[in-house]
Amino acid sequence: MSTAALARELAAVRDFLPCATPTAWLEQAAANLPLLLIDHANCEKKAAGNALSMMYRYVDRPALLQRLSRFAREELRHFEQVHALMLARGIAYAPLTASRYAAGLRALVATREPERLVDSLLVSAVVEARSCERFAGLVDVLPEDVASLYRGLLASEARHFRNYLTLAREVDAGRVAARLPELLATEARLVTEPDCAFRFHSGPVAADVTNGRQERVKVPASS
Amino acid sequence: MSTAALARELAAVRDFLPCATPTAWLEQAAANLPLLLIDHANCEKKAAGNALSMMYRYVDRPALLQRLSRFAREELRHFEQVHALMLARGIAYAPLTASRYAAGLRALVATREPERLVDSLLVSAVVEARSCERFAGLVDVLPEDVASLYRGLLASEARHFRNYLTLAREVDAGRVAARLPELLATEARLVTEPDCAFRFHSGPVAADVTNGRQERVKVPASS
């Protein structure tokens, strides 16, 4: 993708999102690189798992199945890339608790079909958009090896955002228009309000949390 | 892969398995093509899901994680291929109950680690070997479009079989040697004893089941 095309994609993502990632979160990301990478690896697995679970639920929608399967393959490829970077940096893959972010958004998904499908696709669109926006912000504050990977992932996330949004509108454009305001308002709170644990999609963590109670992640002495 | 190399792979798979697929099953497969393809599509999703769930469980094994992620991507690619063939043949993707096969094998997996890991890898090796052997048998009895796809999948399944077996032996070769006889004896029963539903990994179904109580799958009038 050309630089101009990528800039347009990124502008569309920023237009869609309710707010920018707080500067405090970007600073915490730079200061917690192992934690960021581990949680990012987890996010890629979860995105693949989420696409796969939709592939079980919606067997009667052929075009959706094919699209979800390709999304899942791309997320797995991204997992391999970020995991390889963790290995190169000697970061041990410690288990982490889940972020409040995905659970906070998924709580807004309807339990009845076809509303559940539309809402699920919309939540995926929102998550992909936020990931894209964070990658763009992180490129400027992270070491070159990580920045280089994130520059490469930007375009995929922007494309996934667009595709999930289109899929949701194809099922029910009216519901998309009706549900987006509440989803985006919740998303804004989740990424701006003080969070209890630093994660790829978290809000900035409060000072007393970063000061000692933050998870420790094993890293080699040199990093 | 050359024809000679593929023949060697297939010979290794047949040596490993406890018995050949019964002729009655192959005849039932040819007579129940929509059911075969739908269950095959489900198997590819399950294989991907199984690899993904191991990727959550064994984050402390970097080489395993990378391998499982690539396996999952390949299974998803196979899903897309068999699903595209279903679409080309106008086969509607009906929900199916699970086969007794996978559950019967998974029941033998230990609950304690690291035995659970070894057993899980071994079960995957057995399932991949059986899939490979069935593809080879099906190539001779199915229409050319399906046979052509299955000829293409043969080599992947043989490679997955070898890789899963190697991974299991790398964790604990002694346990592999100790567990294989029981696993294979169970597998032989599952694929040869009369089954209650025709599936990709089922035994042959009893005559009274194929005679009326078999699931109906919507197919266009022409097929």
Side-chain angles (χ1 to χ4, degrees):
Chain A
M1 190 179 284
S2 73
T3 312
L6 190 57
R8 277 195 303 275
E9 291 269 19
L10 194 52
V13 162
R14 286 177 172 146
D15 277 352
F16 172 80
L17 288 171
C19 63
T21 287
T23 309
W25 183 90
L26 289 169
E27 286 164 2
Q28 289 171 2
N32 291 281
L33 191 54
L35 199 50
L36 180 80
L37 291 176
I38 293 171
D39 195 54
H40 175 195
N42 286 344
C43 288
E44 299 290 0
K45 279 194 287 191
K46 280 180 210 160
N50 187 49
L52 192 59
S53 66
M54 292 181 82
M55 288 169 63
Y56 278 100
R57 216 178 297 134
Y58 303 109
V59 293
D60 57 338
R61 294 179 178 268
L64 180 67
L65 286 185
Q66 289 279 329
R67 193 64 74 92
L68 289 170
S69 183
R70 289 198 291 273
F71 285 165
R73 287 198 284 125
E74 285 188 71
E75 309 291 8
L76 286 165
R77 179 78 191 105
H78 298 170
F79 167 81
E80 290 158 41
Q81 290 174 290
V82 64
H83 183 242
L85 189 64
M86 284 166 55
L87 294 177
R89 286 187 152 259
I91 298 168
Y93 200 151
L96 292 183
T97 55
S99 166
R100 71 176 181 191
Y101 181 82
L105 291 178
R106 303 251 169 245
L108 298 180
V109 171
T111 51
R112 194 176 60 178
E113 297 292 358
E115 292 83 356
R116 183 185 185 191
L117 170 58
V118 180
D119 294 358
S120 299
L121 292 167
L122 260 188
V123 166
S124 293
V126 170
V127 175
E128 298 284 343
R130 179 60 66 190
S131 302
C132 176
E133 188 257 0
R134 291 217 156 163
F135 284 139
L138 287 168
V139 157
D140 296 328
V141 299
L142 296 185
E144 184 46 33
D145 56 341
V146 191
S148 167
L149 172 64
Y150 283 7
R151 231 175 266 123
L153 297 183
L154 255 173
S156 305
E157 306 291 318
R159 182 167 38 79
H160 288 186
F161 150 65
R162 264 192 294 110
N163 290 342
Y164 271 119
L165 191 58
T166 302
L167 287 167
R169 286 184 172 139
E170 281 169 3
V171 181
D172 187 345
R175 178 148 181 105
V176 169
R179 290 300 285 149
L180 258 184
E182 188 188 347
L183 260 174
L184 291 175
T186 300
E187 207 269 347
R189 281 199 302 277
L190 291 166
V191 298
T192 56
E193 290 181 0
D195 212 325
C196 57
F198 177 83
R199 294 290 183 270
F200 191 88
H201 290 110
S202 71
V205 285
D208 66 327
V209 175
T210 46
N211 241 340
R213 288 200 282 117
Q214 189 71 7
E215 284 100 332
R216 297 243 170 67
V217 169
K218 269 185 277 180
V219 284
S222 62
S223 70
Chain B
M1 190 180 285
S2 73
T3 312
L6 190 57
R8 278 196 301 277
E9 291 268 20
L10 195 52
V13 163
R14 287 178 171 143
D15 276 352
F16 172 79
L17 288 171
C19 62
T21 287
T23 310
W25 183 90
L26 289 169
E27 286 163 1
Q28 290 172 1
N32 291 279
L33 190 55
L35 199 50
L36 179 82
L37 291 176
I38 293 171
D39 196 54
H40 175 195
N42 286 344
C43 287
E44 298 290 0
K45 279 194 290 192
K46 280 180 210 160
N50 187 49
L52 192 59
S53 67
M54 293 181 81
M55 288 169 64
Y56 277 100
R57 215 178 299 135
Y58 304 109
V59 295
D60 56 338
R61 294 178 180 269
L64 181 66
L65 286 186
Q66 289 278 329
R67 194 64 73 94
L68 289 170
S69 183
R70 288 196 292 271
F71 285 165
R73 286 197 286 124
E74 286 187 71
E75 310 290 8
L76 286 166
R77 179 79 190 106
H78 297 170
F79 167 80
E80 290 159 39
Q81 291 173 288
V82 65
H83 182 243
L85 189 63
M86 284 167 54
L87 294 177
R89 287 188 149 259
I91 298 169
Y93 200 151
L96 292 183
T97 56
S99 167
R100 73 176 180 192
Y101 181 83
L105 291 178
R106 302 253 169 242
L108 298 179
V109 171
T111 52
R112 196 176 59 180
E113 297 293 359
E115 292 84 354
R116 183 185 186 191
L117 171 58
V118 180
D119 294 358
S120 300
L121 292 168
L122 260 188
V123 165
S124 293
V126 171
V127 175
E128 298 283 342
R130 179 59 67 188
S131 303
C132 176
E133 188 257 359
R134 293 218 154 162
F135 284 139
L138 287 167
V139 158
D140 296 327
V141 299
L142 296 186
E144 184 45 34
D145 56 339
V146 190
S148 166
L149 172 65
Y150 283 9
R151 231 175 264 122
L153 298 183
L154 257 171
S156 304
E157 306 291 318
R159 182 166 40 78
H160 288 185
F161 151 65
R162 265 193 293 109
N163 289 343
Y164 272 118
L165 190 58
T166 302
L167 287 167
R169 286 183 173 138
E170 281 169 3
V171 181
D172 187 346
R175 176 148 183 106
V176 170
R179 290 299 285 149
L180 257 185
E182 188 188 348
L183 260 176
L184 292 175
T186 300
E187 208 268 345
R189 281 198 303 279
L190 291 166
V191 298
T192 55
E193 291 181 359
D195 212 325
C196 56
F198 176 83
R199 293 289 183 270
F200 190 88
H201 290 110
S202 70
V205 285
D208 65 328
V209 176
T210 45
N211 244 339
R213 288 201 284 115
Q214 188 71 5
E215 282 100 333
R216 298 241 171 68
V217 170
K218 269 184 278 178
V219 283
S222 62
S223 72

